[in-house]
Amino acid sequence: MAKLFLVRHGQSLWNLENRFTGWQDIDITEAGIEEAKKAGVALKKERIDIAFTSALIRAQHTLSIILEETGNTHIPVVMDKALNERSYGNLEGLNKAETAQKYGEEQVHTWRRSYDVVPPGGESLKDTYNRVIPYFEAQILPLLKQGKNVLIVAHGNSLRALIMYLEHLSPEEILEREIATGAPLTYIFDEHFHVSRKDS
């Protein structure tokens, strides 16, 4: 049996300011630090063998706090841009409400909440899925098959892609799924490698 823990990074400065963040390297706020600590407390009794995170500071900072809280600062940590947030391209840095005024609420909603519509210069969720899942299958799945417990600290949309894959969700179903910041999700792989989600 193996466990996979997924954590969305704590609140970032641009989450707070309601801006499109994407691949911009924005750190977490004081509230985000507290969320990361709570995630660490929630995972304290779990064995964690290896951790993966993105190339972005908000995920890396969240992970370092979790590892400190759980006493796992010695474990291997792998950072890879394959786990980065979805790129919002030309929208990055823009306030979401102001962007809705400029382009229309319906257009912005479509960019944010459709599966395969690409914002200007950015990625769709489908593009993100096609980057995250091959990496997961090549680098992380083999470790789970060895019985290792894996922690991934990443982003709303890179984690959506993973959840879609793990739970066999349709594009419509995954777009309805909200992923809270700093709240661990646990997936258990049994000896036959069937996956189940453990609700905390």
Side-chain angles (χ1 to χ4, degrees):
M1 191 176 81
K3 290 182 180 179
L4 173 65
F5 310 106
L6 305 182
V7 182
R8 183 182 175 194
H9 64 79
Q11 182 196 63
S12 75
L13 181 61
W14 281 11
N15 289 148
L16 181 64
E17 294 176 356
N18 198 32
R19 294 174 185 265
F20 287 99
T21 313
W23 282 38
Q24 301 305 303
D25 213 7
I26 308 301
D27 206 352
I28 54 178
T29 61
E30 286 300 317
I33 289 169
E34 290 307 309
E35 288 174 337
K37 286 179 180 175
K38 283 180 185 169
V41 169
L43 291 170
K44 206 157 200 166
K45 293 180 181 172
E46 300 285 359
R47 189 189 88 238
I48 302 169
D49 299 305
I50 186 169
F52 288 80
T53 190
S54 75
L56 299 170
I57 189 67
R58 57 192 185 274
Q60 294 173 11
H61 193 176
T62 300
L63 173 60
S64 68
I65 293 167
I66 292 171
L67 294 182
E68 188 127 343
E69 285 289 326
T70 57
N72 283 301
T73 52
H74 60 286
I75 68 167
V77 172
V78 181
M79 299 174 191
D80 200 289
K81 65 182 181 183
L83 296 173
N84 277 16
E85 176 58 296
R86 170 187 174 188
S87 168
Y88 278 101
N90 301 345
L91 303 183
E92 291 181 2
L94 300 179
N95 178 279
K96 290 173 185 173
E98 290 170 5
T99 308
Q101 286 179 344
K102 183 176 178 180
Y103 294 101
E105 287 199 16
E106 195 173 325
Q107 178 64 75
V108 172
H109 182 78
T110 300
W111 283 331
R112 292 186 65 200
R113 288 300 189 198
S114 63
Y115 181 63
D116 54 6
V117 177
V118 181
E123 293 178 303
S124 65
L125 180 56
K126 184 179 180 182
D127 294 330
T128 309
Y129 182 98
N130 289 337
R131 138 167 85 75
V132 170
I133 300 311
Y135 179 79
F136 177 78
E137 289 181 333
Q139 303 298 326
I140 300 173
L141 211 48
L143 298 170
L144 292 162
K145 288 181 176 176
Q146 292 168 24
K148 293 189 184 300
N149 286 0
V150 178
L151 167 63
I152 301 176
V153 178
H155 307 266
N157 285 297
S158 51
L159 293 178
R160 264 198 190 93
L162 265 174
I163 290 166
M164 183 179 181
Y165 172 86
L166 292 167
E167 297 187 23
H168 308 289
L169 301 178
S170 69
E172 293 73 29
E173 288 170 324
I174 195 57
L175 292 169
E176 295 302 313
R177 180 68 68 86
E178 289 298 330
I179 303 165
T181 49
L185 298 170
T186 302
Y187 290 85
I188 299 170
F189 295 75
D190 69 16
E191 62 271 23
H192 305 295
F193 225 61
H194 298 138
V195 187
S196 58
R197 195 175 97 208
K198 179 186 167 194
D199 292 313
S200 49

